[in-house]
Amino acid sequence: MKNILLLNGGKAFAHSLGRLNDTLHKTACETLGKAGFVIRQTKIDAGYDIQVEVENFLWADLVVYQMPGWWMGIPWTVKKYIDEVFTAGHGLLYTSDGRSRSHPERKYGSGGLLQGKHYMLSLTWNAPQEAFVDADQFFEGKGIDAVYFPFHKANQFLGMTSLPTYLAADVIKDPSVELTIADYRAHLAKILDFTPVAPMGGP
């Protein structure tokens, strides 16, 4: 993987200022750039050109979604982005739902044109880690990726494959920004197989 599209879904809303998502997005830009990857980035809430974003998906080997968990899912701004960009990508990102009367063996969801490309979620939540993995807590032990099952399937509809999700948990009640930055940098280095270069004065 050489070309990486970083999508910043952070947004100032209600009691959230969106600063942690901006910080993790910046961490990815700096860490991956220093490791030799070619970066394109879009801050969704700042606006975007739909056709340019379709081209970005065609260009990218990996798409990283940076976003907060809002009401058990993605922010509406990110959902709007997906609706607009994926719909405009018909014929480029996917052909159809994959089924064909002449080929009845083809199954729903097999029409993606982005085979061989990957995507990754980087998420911030106020919920603690145990809320996702403990069967007696809120998410019944199903894990963070089960919470995002429809979002995963939207990306897989295009033919992309997921890389391990990064979760920054308990970010409001027990914030630890410097440790989170270091942990995210290590996560990127592990899944993309490179040695991170720490910024001067940074963790």
Side-chain angles (χ1 to χ4, degrees):
M1 282 180 264
K2 177 183 178 183
N3 299 334
I4 301 182
L5 173 62
L6 299 175
L7 298 174
N8 182 355
K11 181 178 176 62
F13 179 73
H15 60 275
S16 172
L17 299 178
R19 291 184 299 196
L20 181 57
N21 282 276
D22 286 344
T23 297
L24 292 178
H25 174 81
K26 181 180 177 182
T27 296
C29 287
E30 293 177 347
T31 302
L32 297 172
K34 288 180 179 179
F37 295 93
V38 182
I39 303 299
R40 290 184 185 177
Q41 56 179 306
T42 299
K43 183 172 175 60
I44 292 173
D45 197 44
Y48 49 86
D49 182 296
I50 295 171
Q51 294 303 323
V52 169
E53 296 306 309
V54 171
E55 170 56 32
N56 282 341
F57 270 80
L58 295 171
W59 168 85
D61 300 311
L62 168 64
V63 179
V64 178
Y65 294 92
Q66 178 65 59
M67 56 187 168
W70 281 5
W71 288 107
M72 316 313 144
I74 67 177
W76 82 83
T77 46
V78 178
K79 180 61 167 68
K80 179 174 180 285
Y81 174 95
I82 293 296
D83 288 349
E84 292 179 336
V85 174
F86 286 16
T87 299
H90 182 262
L92 295 170
L93 307 182
Y94 62 97
T95 55
S96 64
D97 69 17
R99 295 176 295 171
S100 169
R101 290 185 178 88
S102 59
H103 293 278
E105 75 279 4
R106 294 178 183 172
K107 295 180 173 61
Y108 179 83
S110 63
L113 297 175
L114 301 188
Q115 305 294 331
K117 295 178 182 287
H118 294 77
Y119 70 95
M120 190 195 93
L121 310 187
S122 176
L123 310 168
T124 61
W125 276 74
N126 179 46
Q129 289 276 0
E130 57 267 25
F132 297 97
V133 298
D134 186 336
D136 293 327
Q137 295 210 29
F138 188 76
F139 293 107
E140 303 173 18
K142 292 179 169 59
I144 186 63
D145 289 303
V147 178
Y148 287 84
F149 184 78
F151 189 75
H152 278 293
K153 288 302 167 185
N155 285 273
Q156 291 165 17
F157 193 87
L158 305 185
M160 295 195 291
T161 302
S162 64
L163 293 180
T165 296
Y166 178 74
L167 172 62
D170 221 0
V171 299
I172 296 176
K173 286 197 168 56
D174 188 19
S176 183
V177 175
E178 294 304 317
L179 285 176
T180 298
I181 290 171
D183 190 43
Y184 184 39
R185 189 180 293 123
H187 177 87
L188 292 170
K190 180 179 180 180
I191 65 170
L192 295 176
D193 193 24
F194 67 90
T195 302
V197 179
M200 294 298 293

